[in-house]
Amino acid sequence: DMLDPERLIQCPLVKHHRIRARRFPYHLVKCKESNPEIAKKLATCPFNARHLVPQADLSKHIMKCNDKAFVEQDVVSRFSESPQEQLNNGSTWQAPPSAEDWET
């Protein structure tokens, strides 16, 4: 199951590393630091930072990356909204009132 946090994933840097899905992002950071020569030969997918592929294969990966659909869907939905809807979907957070008076 792709959503199982306990499933094992093969490390793209060191092929004999098998890491639980929930620990995978942390492993990638450490493994890149431990293996800089291998890491600089790999490119990071613009749609999912967990996807590390050989630099020569990046364009091929981008064309077929499953996560591209999520980004494209988000972009299409943003363009289909009117400018007023986009404003309404933004943050409504406002700073709380302050009794401080910096002028005095």
Side-chain angles (χ1 to χ4, degrees):
D1 182 19
M2 290 300 293
L3 300 177
D4 181 10
E6 298 300 317
R7 79 181 189 288
L8 294 175
I9 300 174
Q10 182 179 5
C11 175
L13 291 130
V14 180
K15 299 300 181 191
H16 67 269
H17 289 177
R18 295 186 41 87
I19 306 94
R20 299 213 182 279
R22 63 185 166 84
R23 298 289 310 156
F24 192 68
Y26 306 105
H27 174 82
L28 280 181
V29 170
K30 293 285 190 182
C31 205
K32 280 183 186 180
E33 291 172 359
S34 299
N35 301 285
E37 291 301 314
I38 297 171
K40 69 180 169 183
K41 294 177 185 175
L42 299 176
T44 303
C45 171
F47 304 113
N48 186 334
R50 296 176 184 184
H51 297 168
L52 296 178
V53 295
Q55 289 182 356
D57 298 339
L58 182 61
S59 59
K60 194 183 324 177
H61 172 82
I62 288 172
M63 295 300 291
K64 63 178 185 170
C65 181
N66 292 333
D67 294 321
K68 179 171 74 170
F70 296 116
V71 175
E72 289 174 340
Q73 182 179 9
D74 186 50
V75 169
V76 168
S77 68
R78 288 281 176 189
F79 278 113
S80 65
E81 293 177 347
S82 70
Q84 187 60 43
E85 287 175 318
Q86 289 178 13
L87 285 175
N88 292 342
N89 290 338
S91 175
T92 59
W93 183 86
Q94 293 181 351
S98 175
E100 290 182 358
D101 184 2
W102 286 63
E103 301 299 321
T104 56

